[in-house]
């Protein structure tokens, strides 16, 4: 059986910090729309804006999940310890 | 305004630069977030968090950091590309403006020039050219020449603009890192548009909102829902909050709506979403207490049309295992439902769709007619995976016996998923850690197991409530496993089969194992019945015979391994096992094999392999049981011995022949294996010695014959 060691406060602090870092990530809405003078360039910019926005939100969500997961794990350990 | 050939420099370069700057800010902010992220997770070393979850955390963080770096690297060139583009557009615009001024000047010159050139003027011009002297050009010609040059320069600007457009358009190609876009899109669709909005509640609400859209028939939201579920599936508390928010009833509706979308061909990923919801329940189930699990599963089961969904949710113990707490709560809820409704909690299908949840859950055809889906089968296959917890569940002083009564006596599994589920559970219980024959025997566990075994035998095989259904091969193989697991005890006990009807537990010494603990004492009726069940399957009979032969090999090898386990003891138990097999006529149903009356001679050929050699390498007998006989020193001997016994057991002759064959086999063992001083102790002959051993054989045959007759 794998040995289990958990520093509750350290892991909670790490999880909380990661969550905060995720919340400070840039969000969608990359700059104002602009008339580049070229329809092809405008279309590329619009498409990229959507893609980057979704990626940013998804990347932040993933980071938030990792932080939340660490915090939740400590909650589970703490609950289990209490039950034992 | 879009650029034209007359105005190739058109465009808002200020806005382009602002976009470039905004992208640069995004990259810098991401870089800062990456640094912060790394600074928080890297200190969580194995010193701070050691274990599988900690390893998974570090692995996931490292993977995310790597993907984040790739993302930043992919975004960084966008800012520069836009800036270069803006500069080029601005340069083109400036040159275009200059051309415009020159055009206007040339046009003015052309307009001011006389429309007619006199012959004198022309002659003077030609003379000047001939003499090499400078001359004033013809204004009209000069203006035309200037306009032609301007046209060429403008065309060059158009080519530059086209090139700049192509270059920046290519550079702005989208960047895709994994499935971030799908998750981000789903969050945005559900109204979570900024990372600053993230918290556990907003994610949960986003999941619920997407489920609501699905329930309203919107299949366009499924990719996002799938991405979010995949992202959060391994967060038990998030999945618990989500599923509690969704509720058992709506979870059932979700699965059914998705099933219909699959059947109608409206979504190719609806099945993946169903699977993700099952994973979510698997994850959440680890968080629930017994009462919470009971509440959730009750709502699930009480939902209209829930049967298929419940069978599906519990239908893949390997990939989506549910917690024992939830599984036991589900079994109890179905028990209550079936008692209350007086019928099985099953679904009978006249037509099984080719896609969706049903195809993998249909158990069998009832003739040419309907097919059955039985959630209890899925649930019992889950229970079999955790024998320790399941033993406690069945031995529970408040409800344990009621559970045994329902699942092993009242329920007609034949009209459901068949008897494999309960038999697999019973077989799994025999392997519970701490059981009498398991490693690290725990007296409390051994007693609990003995009592549960006795209770199941009593309701399953007791003459007053005897099982009268038909079991398939899988169930019978499991039953053979139960019997095989008990054989070391039943072969040893002198009280086994004493009673015609009493099944009991008692603390006893298993002599040849040198162990003492609580065992199940089976009646001859019950054993006869159980063996009779096994007899109806060639596969199960073969498995039990293999187990019996294996046990006899271990008995032989155990002589001398404990202080008082002698050749006599081993032979008596072998004779007893032969008697049990023959008394139950277990061999008679097997494929016919001609009785070869000289096979025992091969046993005789194994000479000089004494007890010491057989037992010496095996250590104590208990370890032989755990390790199996295969690795012991008796291999070559056992091969011949197996053949002899195999021939014996496959005998289809009358009882007298079987007894003769048993005598011959045992005599072969005596001649080839038992030391002469043991055989002829007190001056007895080998036949007299054999007669004393055959008592065990005759006793078992007689008792099982009596049981069959009764």
């Amino acid at each position: 059986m794998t040995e289990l060691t958990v520093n509750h406060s350290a892991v909670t602090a790490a999880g909380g910090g990661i969550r905060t870092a995720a919340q400070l990530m840039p969000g969608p809405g990359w700059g104002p729309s602009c008339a580049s003078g070229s329809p092809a360039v405008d279309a590329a910019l619009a498409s990229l804006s959507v893609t980057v926005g979704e990626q940013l939100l998804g990347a932040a969500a993933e980071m938030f999940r990792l932080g939340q997961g660490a915090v939740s794990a400590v909650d589970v350990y703490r609950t289990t310890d209490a039950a034992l | 305004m879009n650029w034209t050939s007359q105005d190739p420099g058109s465009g808002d370069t200020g806005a382009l630069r602002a976009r470039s700057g905004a992208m640069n800010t995004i990259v810098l902010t991401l870089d800062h977030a990456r640094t912060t992220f790394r600074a928080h997770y890297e200190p969580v070393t194995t010193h701070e968090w050691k274990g599988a979850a900690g390893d998974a955390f570090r692995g996931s963080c490292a993977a995310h950091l790597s993907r984040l770096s790739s993302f930043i690297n992919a975004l960084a060139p966008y800012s520069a590309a836009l800036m270069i583009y803006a500069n080029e557009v601005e340069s083109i615009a400036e040159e275009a403006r200059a051309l415009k001024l020159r055009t206007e000047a040339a046009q003015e010159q052309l307009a001011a020039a006389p429309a007619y050139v006199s012959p004198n003027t022309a002659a003077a011009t030609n003379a000047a050219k001939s003499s090499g002297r400078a001359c004033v050009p013809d204004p009209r010609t000069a203006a035309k020449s200037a306009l032609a040059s301007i046209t060429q320069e403008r065309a060059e600007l158009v080519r530059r603009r086209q090139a700049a457009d192509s270059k920046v358009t290519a550079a702005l190609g989208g960047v895709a890192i994994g499935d971030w876009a799908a998750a981000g899109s789903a969050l945005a669709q559900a109204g979570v548009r900024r990372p600053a909005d993230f918290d556990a509640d907003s994610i949960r609400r986003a999941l619920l909102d997407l489920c609501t859209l699905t329930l309203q028939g919107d299949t366009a939201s499924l990719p996002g829902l799938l991405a979010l579920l995949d992202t959060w599936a391994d967060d038990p508390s998030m999945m618990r909050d989500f599923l509690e928010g969704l509720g058992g009833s709506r979870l059932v509706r979700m699965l059914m709506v998705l099933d219909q979308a699959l059947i109608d061909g409206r979504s190719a990923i609806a099945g993946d979403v169903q699977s993700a919801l099952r994973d979510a329940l698997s994850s959440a189930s680890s968080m629930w207490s017994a009462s919470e699990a009971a509440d959730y599963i009750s709502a699930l089961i009480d939902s209209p049309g829930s049967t298929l969904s419940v069978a599906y949710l519990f239908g893949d113990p390997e990939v989506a295992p549910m917690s024992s707490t939830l599984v036991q709560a589900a079994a109890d809820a179905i028990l209550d439902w079936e008692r209350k409704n007086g019928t099985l909690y099953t679904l009978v299908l006249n037509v099984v769709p080719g896609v969706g949840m049903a195809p993998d859950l249909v158990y069998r055809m009832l003739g040419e007619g309907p097919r059955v889906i039985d959630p209890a089968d899925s649930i019992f296959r889950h229970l079999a995976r955790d024998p320790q917890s399941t033993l406690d569940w069945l031995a529970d002083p408040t409800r344990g016996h009621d559970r045994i009564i329902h699942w092993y006596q009242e329920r007609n599994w034949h009209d459901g998923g068949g008897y494999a589920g309960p038999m697999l559970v019973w077989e799994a219980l025999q392997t519970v850690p701490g059981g009498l024959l398991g490693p690290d025997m725990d007296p409390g566990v051994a007693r609990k197991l003995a009592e549960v075994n006795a209770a199941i035998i009593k309701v399953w095989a007791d003459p007053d409530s005897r099982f009268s259904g038909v079991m398939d091969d899988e169930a019978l193989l499991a039953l053979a496993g139960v019997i095989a697991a008990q054989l070391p005890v039943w072969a040893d006990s002198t009280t086994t089969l004493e009673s015609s009807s009493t099944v009991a537990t008692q603390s006893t010494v298993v002599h040849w194992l040198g162990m003492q603990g609580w065992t199940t004492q089976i009646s001859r009726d019950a054993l006869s019945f159980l063996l009779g069940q096994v007899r109806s399957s060639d596969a199960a009979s073969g498995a039990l015979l293999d187990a019996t032969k294996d046990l006899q090999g271990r008995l032989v090898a155990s002589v001398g391994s404990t202080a008082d386990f002698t050749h006599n003891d081993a032979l008596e138990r072998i004779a007893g096992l032969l008697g049990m097999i023959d008394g139950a006529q277990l061999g008679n149903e097997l494929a016919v094999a001609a009785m070869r009356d000289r096979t025992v001679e091969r046993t005789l050929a194994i000479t000089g392999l004494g007890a010491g050699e057989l037992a010496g390498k095996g250590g104590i007998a208990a370890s032989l049981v755990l390790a199996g006989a295969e690795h012991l020193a008796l291999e070559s001997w056992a091969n011949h011995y197996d053949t002899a016994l195999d021939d014996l057991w496959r005998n289809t002759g009358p009882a007298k022949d079987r007894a003769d064959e048993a005598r011959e086999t045992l005599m072969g063992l005596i001649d080839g294996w038992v030391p002469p001083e043991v055989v002829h102790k007190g001056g007895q002959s080998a036949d007299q010695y054999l007669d004393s051993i055959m008592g065990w054989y005759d006793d078992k045959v007689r008792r099982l014959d009596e049981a069959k007759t009764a």
Side-chain angles (χ1 to χ4, degrees):
Chain A
M1 184 178 287
T2 308
E3 185 187 348
L4 179 64
T5 305
V6 186
N7 181 335
H8 288 192
S9 59
V11 175
T12 302
I18 291 170
R19 272 192 321 204
T20 304
Q23 289 167 328
L24 295 176
M25 292 259 285
W30 167 40
S33 62
C34 71
S36 69
S38 167
V41 175
D42 284 351
L45 279 169
S47 172
L48 184 66
S49 182
V50 171
T51 305
V52 168
E54 289 173 345
Q55 298 279 358
L56 283 170
L57 203 55
E62 174 70 6
M63 192 184 289
F64 183 82
R65 183 187 72 85
L66 290 168
Q68 179 70 38
V71 174
S72 297
V74 173
D75 286 344
V76 172
Y77 288 134
R78 192 173 284 129
T79 305
T80 307
D81 289 347
L84 293 175
Chain B
M1 180 181 289
N2 295 332
W3 69 268
T4 64
S5 59
Q6 294 303 308
D7 183 14
S10 179
D12 187 347
T13 54
L16 285 169
R17 287 201 170 87
R19 276 237 157 159
S20 170
M23 178 56 77
N24 196 43
T25 302
I26 285 174
V27 170
L28 291 175
T29 309
L30 275 177
D31 190 47
H32 177 67
R34 172 175 60 178
T35 303
T36 309
F37 173 61
R38 190 207 302 261
H40 279 105
Y41 97 76
E42 282 189 342
V44 184
T45 63
T46 52
H47 182 69
E48 305 296 334
W49 191 1
K50 185 175 186 179
D55 293 342
F57 172 75
R58 280 181 288 276
S60 298
C61 285
H64 187 63
L65 187 73
S66 171
R67 295 167 72 204
L68 202 55
S69 296
S70 298
F71 188 44
I72 293 170
N73 292 338
L75 291 183
Y78 292 149
S79 175
L82 279 173
M83 189 60 78
I84 290 168
Y85 180 67
N87 289 341
E88 177 69 350
V89 170
E90 195 164 87
S91 169
I92 292 169
E94 284 178 9
E95 293 187 36
R97 277 195 297 275
L99 284 181
K100 188 179 179 188
L101 292 175
R102 287 168 56 199
T103 301
E104 288 168 358
Q107 286 172 337
E108 285 175 11
Q109 185 180 359
L110 187 63
Y116 169 74
V117 179
S118 74
N120 289 338
T121 303
T125 301
N126 289 336
K129 279 184 181 174
S130 309
S131 65
R133 288 183 285 109
C135 67
V136 176
D138 168 15
R140 189 174 183 82
T141 302
K144 284 183 176 177
S145 175
L147 285 173
S149 173
I150 289 168
T151 300
Q152 285 183 350
E153 290 179 51
R154 186 176 290 120
E156 176 58 23
L157 288 182
V158 167
R159 278 193 294 276
R160 279 177 59 191
R161 182 64 189 257
Q162 287 170 334
D165 283 0
S166 298
K167 197 171 179 182
V168 77
T169 303
L172 294 179
V175 54
I177 306 291
D179 58 358
W180 283 348
S185 171
L187 286 167
Q189 187 181 3
V192 184
R193 295 191 172 83
R194 299 177 308 154
D197 295 336
F198 286 169
D199 56 32
D201 192 49
S202 66
I203 304 289
R204 181 184 64 84
R205 277 189 282 106
L207 283 165
L208 291 173
D209 287 350
L210 291 169
C211 286
T212 300
L213 290 173
T214 303
L215 289 171
Q216 291 168 348
D218 173 19
T219 54
S221 60
L222 291 182
L225 177 58
L226 180 61
L228 277 193
L229 284 172
D230 283 347
T231 301
W232 292 93
D234 60 354
D235 187 323
S237 59
M238 175 66 78
M239 290 298 99
R240 175 200 58 192
D241 293 348
F242 158 60
L243 286 175
E244 286 180 352
L246 185 63
S249 175
R250 284 212 299 167
L251 175 58
V252 168
R253 280 177 54 211
M254 278 290 292
L255 291 169
M256 293 169 71
V257 164
L258 291 167
D259 228 34
Q260 200 57 50
L262 274 174
I263 292 168
D264 296 345
R266 284 183 290 113
S267 170
I269 63 164
D272 295 334
V273 179
Q274 288 176 323
S275 179
L277 288 168
R278 179 163 64 184
D279 291 343
L281 184 64
S282 171
S283 182
S285 71
S286 65
M287 298 292 290
W288 279 321
S289 67
S291 63
E292 289 168 336
D295 288 345
Y296 197 86
I297 204 70
S298 293
L300 202 67
I301 286 174
D302 288 339
S303 303
S306 64
T307 319
L308 174 60
S309 298
V310 174
Y312 174 78
L313 289 169
F314 289 88
D316 196 345
E318 296 291 333
V319 175
M322 301 298 162
S323 73
S324 292
T325 304
L326 182 65
V327 173
Q328 291 165 8
D332 283 343
I334 291 176
L335 185 160
D336 293 340
W337 191 99
E338 292 184 342
R339 287 257 177 88
K340 178 181 168 188
N341 292 280
T343 184
L344 294 185
Y345 180 68
T346 53
L347 176 65
V348 178
L349 294 175
N350 289 311
V351 178
V352 180
V355 295
M357 296 186 284
D360 291 339
L361 298 168
V362 173
Y363 291 107
R364 60 194 168 80
M365 289 190 69
L366 300 175
E368 296 298 319
R371 306 180 190 191
V372 175
I373 288 172
D374 184 359
D377 180 85
S378 303
I379 287 165
F380 267 67
R381 287 172 193 274
H382 261 89
L383 288 170
R385 291 169 55 87
D386 186 359
Q388 195 163 11
S389 178
T390 302
L391 177 63
D392 290 340
W393 181 68
L394 287 172
D396 177 70
T398 305
R399 240 198 133 172
H401 191 66
D402 191 38
R403 291 167 179 142
I404 290 173
I405 291 285
H406 181 76
W407 297 115
Y408 288 90
Q409 185 178 54
E410 290 177 346
R411 192 174 205 264
N412 179 7
W413 289 84
H414 183 266
D415 289 346
Y419 287 90
M423 288 296 112
L424 287 169
V425 165
W426 194 11
E427 182 187 30
L429 293 179
Q430 312 311 314
T431 65
V432 68
L436 180 62
L437 302 177
D440 304 322
M441 197 267 284
D442 177 322
V445 173
R447 180 170 189 172
K448 202 180 288 183
L449 176 59
E451 289 173 348
V452 167
N453 277 336
I456 293 176
I457 291 171
K458 192 164 180 58
V459 299
W460 190 267
D462 199 77
D464 296 335
S465 57
R466 182 158 291 175
F467 166 73
S468 60
V470 177
M471 289 195 274
D472 62 15
D473 268 5
E474 187 182 14
L476 290 169
L477 277 167
L479 178 59
V482 173
I483 298 171
Q486 291 299 316
L487 276 182
V489 173
W490 291 344
D492 187 80
S493 172
T494 54
T495 59
T496 293
L497 312 184
E498 280 293 322
S499 165
S500 65
S501 61
T502 301
V503 177
T505 55
Q506 67 179 45
S507 182
T508 185
V509 176
V510 184
H511 295 286
W512 70 283
L513 295 175
M515 292 177 122
Q516 178 163 9
W518 284 83
T519 60
T520 306
Q521 302 301 304
I522 190 168
S523 71
R524 62 186 178 217
D525 285 349
L527 183 62
S528 172
F529 174 73
L530 294 180
L531 290 173
Q533 291 290 315
V534 170
R535 198 174 58 214
S536 64
S537 160
D538 283 1
S541 297
L544 186 55
L545 291 180
D546 286 344
T548 310
K549 284 187 285 185
D550 183 53
L551 175 59
Q552 294 185 50
R554 280 181 263 164
L555 281 162
V556 168
S558 297
V559 171
S561 61
T562 59
D564 57 354
F565 193 68
T566 66
H567 289 84
N568 272 18
D569 296 326
L571 276 175
E572 284 170 351
R573 282 154 185 79
I574 290 172
L577 284 168
L578 291 177
M580 285 165 61
I581 297 299
D582 283 351
Q585 296 180 329
L586 203 56
N588 281 8
E589 302 298 324
L590 298 177
V592 174
M595 183 170 62
R596 287 175 287 174
D597 58 3
R598 305 309 297 168
T599 50
V600 179
E601 284 186 1
R602 282 179 293 177
T603 307
L604 298 176
I606 312 303
T607 56
L609 198 54
E613 289 172 76
L614 286 170
K617 296 183 182 178
I620 64 167
S623 68
L624 298 178
V625 172
L626 301 179
E630 297 88 345
H631 308 299
L632 302 179
L634 74 166
E635 276 183 14
S636 62
W637 184 85
N639 288 340
H640 290 275
Y641 180 59
D642 272 0
T643 305
L645 292 178
D646 207 42
D647 289 337
L648 173 69
W649 288 332
R650 290 175 192 280
N651 168 31
T652 57
K656 181 65 167 61
D657 291 341
R658 294 198 309 273
D660 288 347
E661 188 69 2
R663 285 185 69 90
E664 192 170 350
T665 297
L666 289 165
M667 182 57 88
L669 288 175
I670 292 168
D671 286 348
W673 173 54
V674 183
E677 63 271 23
V678 174
V679 176
H680 301 297
K681 187 178 179 183
Q684 66 183 346
S685 67
D687 278 335
Q688 288 172 319
Y689 178 67
L690 176 59
D691 286 343
S692 69
I693 299 297
M694 282 298 287
W696 279 63
Y697 174 90
D698 294 336
D699 179 65
K700 298 294 187 289
V701 170
R702 178 179 58 77
R703 290 181 190 281
L704 288 167
D705 277 345
E706 287 172 1
K708 284 203 299 289
T709 304

